[in-house]
Amino acid sequence: MRVVAVQSSANTDGLTARLAEAVLQGVEDAGGEGEMVHLNSLAVEACRACGSGWGHHRRDEGMDPQQCIIDDDFSHLRKKIVRADGLVFASPVYFWDLSESAKSFLDRLRRIHYADPEASEVPGTPVVGIAAAGGSGNGASQAALNLEDYLIRWMQMKRVAIIPVTRQTAVLHREAARRAGRLLAKTDSG
């Protein structure tokens, strides 16, 4: 199984990145392979809510429903996710929510999906989501719920695990993340 891990913290060796790496280690433990993508190193603009805001501009302009009108790194990352057998999405918790870069990317991914849900290639993709709160740890559960909305409710991916993590529980959750990676590597997208 090939897994892409997207982590949306500016700190590429902090709590969020280490947890995403733990999931990838679990994938590798189970015989799979993984790739880490640091979302903040890519140029991904915010969604412009083109046309009526639901992606209908693609039909008007003759574009593929799974294509975004913005020419940046979004399309390349979306293709990596679509080609992978599984996804890890990890975000730090800022103000009881996902990071701004996570929300921006996930907003665009969701709109592409809703432009033509039947043509979307992401439903059924096995996913592990992580919301990592440093500092006080407040907001981890709320951010995990928001991540669940994006990935499970709106994108219709297949939940393997959604893990809210605090700085205080990081050691415990690092092992849970590694176990989730082993489970992810054995999950079928069907």
Side-chain angles (χ1 to χ4, degrees), residues 19-160:
L19 288 161
E21 288 167 358
V23 179
L24 289 180
Q25 183 61 56
V27 167
E28 291 171 9
D29 290 348
E33 58 184 70
E35 175 186 357
M36 176 72 80
V37 175
H38 299 285
L39 186 59
N40 290 356
S41 70
L42 304 177
V44 177
E45 287 184 37
C47 182
R48 295 178 189 165
C50 300
S52 65
W54 292 99
H56 299 296
H57 71 279
R58 290 165 194 82
R59 292 186 188 112
D60 298 339
E61 297 177 17
M63 292 174 68
D64 181 296
Q66 300 300 301
Q67 184 180 0
C68 183
I69 200 164
I70 302 171
D71 184 21
D72 61 7
D73 292 331
F74 170 82
S75 294
H76 177 69
L77 181 52
R78 187 193 73 77
K79 286 177 186 170
K80 274 186 189 246
I81 290 169
V82 166
R83 289 181 185 137
D85 301 309
L87 173 66
V88 177
F89 200 96
S91 176
V93 176
Y94 299 148
F95 304 103
W96 293 60
D97 204 351
L98 306 174
S99 72
E100 288 78 355
S101 60
K103 290 185 287 188
S104 188
F105 176 79
L106 291 170
D107 280 342
R108 284 181 61 191
L109 189 63
R110 174 176 55 186
R111 285 201 191 269
I112 291 290
H113 168 73
Y114 269 90
D116 188 352
E118 278 90 45
S120 180
E121 301 162 298
V122 296
T125 300
V127 63
V128 171
I130 297 170
S136 69
N138 291 336
S141 295
Q142 181 61 51
L145 260 171
N146 295 345
L147 187 57
E148 178 180 52
D149 276 348
Y150 275 109
L151 300 173
I152 310 305
R153 182 196 302 190
W154 300 118
M155 301 306 304
Q156 302 162 342
M157 293 179 171
K158 185 176 189 175
R159 171 205 317 273
V160 173

Side-chain angles (χ1 to χ4, degrees), residues 15 18-19 165-176:
L15 177 62
R18 285 193 312 268
L19 288 161
V165 181
T166 67
R167 176 177 50 89
Q168 296 83 356
T169 63
V171 172
L172 168 74
H173 284 107
R174 197 167 298 124
E175 180 54 32

